[in-house]
Amino acid sequence: MLVVDRYGDLVLVNEAGRRLLPAAEGGGRLWEHVPSWLSDAHQALLERGSLAEGGDVGGQRTGVRSVAAGLIDDRFFEAHPTGGDDGGVVWWLVDATDRRLAETALRDAQARSEILSKASTALLSTLNVQRCMEVSASMAAQHLAEAAVLVAPPQGRRSSVTYACQGGPVTQTTQRIEVSGVPGLAEALQGFPPVPARWIDPGDLPDWVIPDDFSGTVGSVIVTPLPGHGVPAGALILLRSSTERAFTEGEEVFARLFAARAGAALSAARLYSEQASITATLMRDLLPPTLRNVNGVEYAGNYRAAKDHERVGGDFYDIHPGADSSQETLVVLGDVAGKGLDAAVLTGKIRNTLHALLPLAGDHERVLRLLNGALLSSHHTRFATLVLASVRSTADGTQLRLTSAGHLPPLIVRADGTVEEAATRGTLVGALPSVTAETVLTVLGPGETCLLYTDGLTEARGGPLGDEFFGEHRLQRALAECAGMPAEAIVERVQMLASQWIGSGHHDDMAAVAISAPRAGLPGRATGHRDVPVSVNARNPQ
């Protein structure tokens, strides 16, 4: 406590004040014995008091409360004034060092928590590995250091390195680096704890570590691992120039916290990238093939999964071209019970099995019998319906052998608009110990088309009330209007009409394949070809 009269002289100093300010014990002018911040505060208090109360500072004991603060030696004090009855001022000095340190620590913790929160939001907003590396390096340079270098785990002999400086662009390179030249980097890339920053000599850093736009010489370095999910996600190198203060122990701890967030995000992005690559590889064989003209016959297909966000499902089709025009081309269209990924897995098995059975494609029933046995011996409990079409161009037209295994019979669109239903019947595969099937032979004249389709089209529920099937009669009527049209136009027309019928409602998988004879010399009347039943064990005609 310091008591100062209205003239600025020290009147009384208590024992605590004498220990704090030994020179003030003998009295004298205030400004001669106290720090300037306190004497300035006293003078400002007198000036404010004179303006407010006509010069009577004593009148301020209930009005003026001006808190001053500053250092005395290495401690931080607050000075609280109280007006006296005689016009003097009593200054109460309170040691606020510990409180100030606590407040500073709290503010730092709040700021760092905010940085970590922003980093988590930014890093988790993308699952792209390169973008995640850019964000990590940029935020580290902005909030933790003057520059940041993110080193990804090596791929072979090369590593991806991301550079960022405060206020500058982020650059990425792939290069061969010598990790042993940076103390602690080899250990960090293996996930070991970081070495203290004080152990790293900035002068020993190789040139590749320092970004091109880093100004000055490096004065302080932190090397910390980026922990991942089971395996390290890389390492982070933080740089400060010699003109800046060195990294503190608290900043090293915060750098490790930031690195943990960045490592988790990078690990998640890499895991997603690997899974996406695996999915794309597996999906490639599940997607329906692109159909084209084969040996003078036109093929077109269209597939729509039950859910718009899915690419595969339970319906499928395949085409296996003959080696030349004298060989048959095998077309397969099928429908597996169910939809979604589980059904798509079985479609992949069926397609692979049929591909292996291609040498036996001249005998449809044998192919179906062998496929049925393969499905019954697998762990799958689903069944499937199929229709097989063996196609070959002949002098009389495009010859088709059609066999249905529990599937909807193909529809044939003649040149005059007549729509015929192929007279083939059979039992489904994957459910019963044996299968039976009836193969029919038909010939397509110029411009005529055979349509293979799944029940997703005919059972598409919609219409005015949303509860009526599209039905076979509407499908046949639509096909009659497509006489002479290219195969691609026919399948697009059929899918469009079914989609319009459904509207925004739910639907099953829908697939359709059109097989069209060449349109050269298209006649204006029906060719008169009819389906001819043939032996179920009929071989490929020679």
Side-chain angles (χ1 to χ4, degrees), residues 191-356:
F192 291 108
V195 299
R198 63 181 181 275
W199 292 6
I200 304 176
D201 184 358
D204 294 339
L205 293 178
D207 293 339
W208 70 263
V209 175
I210 304 173
D212 294 336
D213 49 355
F214 184 81
S215 59
T217 58
V218 180
S220 186
V221 184
I222 289 178
V223 178
T224 183
L226 297 171
H229 299 300
V231 294
L236 181 65
I237 304 174
L238 302 177
L239 307 174
R240 278 185 181 167
S241 64
S242 56
T243 58
E244 296 290 327
R245 64 181 176 86
F247 289 108
T248 65
E249 184 177 349
E251 288 173 327
E252 288 189 64
V253 173
F254 180 60
R256 291 198 291 270
L257 292 174
F258 176 88
R261 304 288 180 95
L266 276 169
S267 183
R270 286 198 176 97
L271 180 61
Y272 174 81
S273 178
E274 292 172 1
Q275 291 178 338
S277 177
I278 293 172
T279 301
T281 302
L282 297 175
M283 188 74 71
R284 194 174 299 122
D285 286 336
L286 294 178
L287 293 174
T290 300
L291 304 186
R292 63 189 189 281
N293 288 4
V294 177
N295 297 329
V297 180
E298 185 179 352
Y299 300 88
N302 193 301
Y303 172 75
R304 180 181 177 185
K307 296 181 180 179
D308 292 337
H309 65 274
E310 294 179 344
R311 301 176 65 191
V312 295
D315 289 5
F316 67 96
Y317 56 82
D318 260 325
I319 180 172
H320 303 281
D324 53 49
S325 58
S326 66
Q327 301 295 316
E328 287 184 328
T329 293
L330 178 66
V331 181
V332 183
L333 180 136
D335 183 358
V336 172
K339 47 181 173 279
L341 185 58
D342 289 339
V345 171
L346 185 55
T347 69
K349 180 180 178 65
I350 294 175
R351 293 171 69 184
N352 290 334
T353 303
L354 288 172
H355 191 273

Side-chain angles (χ1 to χ4, degrees), residues 113-463:
S113 295
E114 184 177 354
I115 292 172
L116 292 177
S117 177
K118 289 181 179 179
S120 296
T121 301
L123 291 169
L124 296 177
S125 65
T126 177
L127 287 174
N128 180 278
V129 176
Q130 301 302 320
R131 175 59 181 162
C132 197
M133 294 173 64
E134 291 178 1
V135 172
S136 298
S138 177
M139 295 197 72
Q142 180 181 355
H143 298 291
L144 278 72
E146 291 181 74
V149 182
L150 194 153
V151 183
Q155 299 293 325
R157 297 184 178 181
R158 303 176 70 84
S159 297
S160 177
V161 184
T162 305
Y163 298 93
C165 289
Q166 281 186 356
V170 179
T171 59
Q172 289 185 319
T173 65
T174 300
Q175 55 184 301
R176 295 185 64 173
I177 60 176
E178 186 58 48
V179 297
S180 60
V182 182
L185 179 57
E187 293 80 3
L189 288 172
Q190 297 179 47
F192 291 108
V195 299
R198 63 181 181 275
W199 292 6
I200 304 176
D201 184 358
D204 294 339
L205 293 178
D207 293 339
W208 70 263
V209 175
I210 304 173
D212 294 336
D213 49 355
F214 184 81
S215 59
T217 58
V218 180
S220 186
V221 184
I222 289 178
V223 178
T224 183
L226 297 171
H229 299 300
V231 294
L236 181 65
I237 304 174
L238 302 177
L239 307 174
R240 278 185 181 167
S241 64
S242 56
T243 58
E244 296 290 327
R245 64 181 176 86
F247 289 108
T248 65
E249 184 177 349
E251 288 173 327
E252 288 189 64
V253 173
F254 180 60
R256 291 198 291 270
L257 292 174
F258 176 88
R261 304 288 180 95
L266 276 169
S267 183
R270 286 198 176 97
L271 180 61
Y272 174 81
S273 178
E274 292 172 1
Q275 291 178 338
S277 177
I278 293 172
T279 301
T281 302
L282 297 175
M283 188 74 71
R284 194 174 299 122
D285 286 336
L286 294 178
L287 293 174
T290 300
L291 304 186
R292 63 189 189 281
N293 288 4
V294 177
N295 297 329
V297 180
E298 185 179 352
Y299 300 88
N302 193 301
Y303 172 75
R304 180 181 177 185
K307 296 181 180 179
D308 292 337
H309 65 274
E310 294 179 344
R311 301 176 65 191
V312 295
D315 289 5
F316 67 96
Y317 56 82
D318 260 325
I319 180 172
H320 303 281
D324 53 49
S325 58
S326 66
Q327 301 295 316
E328 287 184 328
T329 293
L330 178 66
V331 181
V332 183
L333 180 136
D335 183 358
V336 172
K339 47 181 173 279
L341 185 58
D342 289 339
V345 171
L346 185 55
T347 69
K349 180 180 178 65
I350 294 175
R351 293 171 69 184
N352 290 334
T353 303
L354 288 172
H355 191 273
L357 296 175
L358 280 179
L360 308 176
D363 187 344
H364 286 183
E365 186 188 33
R366 187 179 182 189
V367 169
L368 294 175
R369 187 169 61 251
L370 293 173
L371 175 62
N372 186 66
L375 294 182
L376 290 177
S377 62
S378 72
H379 67 278
H380 295 283
T381 59
R382 299 173 184 268
F383 56 86
T385 64
L386 296 172
V387 60
L388 306 179
S390 293
V391 186
R392 185 175 63 174
S393 293
T394 66
D396 296 331
T398 300
Q399 186 181 86
L400 276 72
R401 290 190 301 112
L402 302 171
T403 305
S404 172
H407 200 84
L408 296 170
L411 296 177
I412 300 170
V413 186
R414 298 300 182 186
D416 63 351
T418 302
V419 178
E420 302 174 2
E421 185 178 281
T424 174
R425 300 289 186 272
T427 56
L428 48 81
V429 293
L432 302 174
S434 62
V435 294
T436 59
E438 180 181 351
T439 299
V440 298
L441 177 66
T442 189
V443 178
L444 299 179
E448 296 182 340
T449 298
C450 176
L451 181 73
L452 316 180
Y453 62 98
T454 61
D455 59 8
L457 287 170
T458 55
E459 295 181 5
R461 193 182 295 272

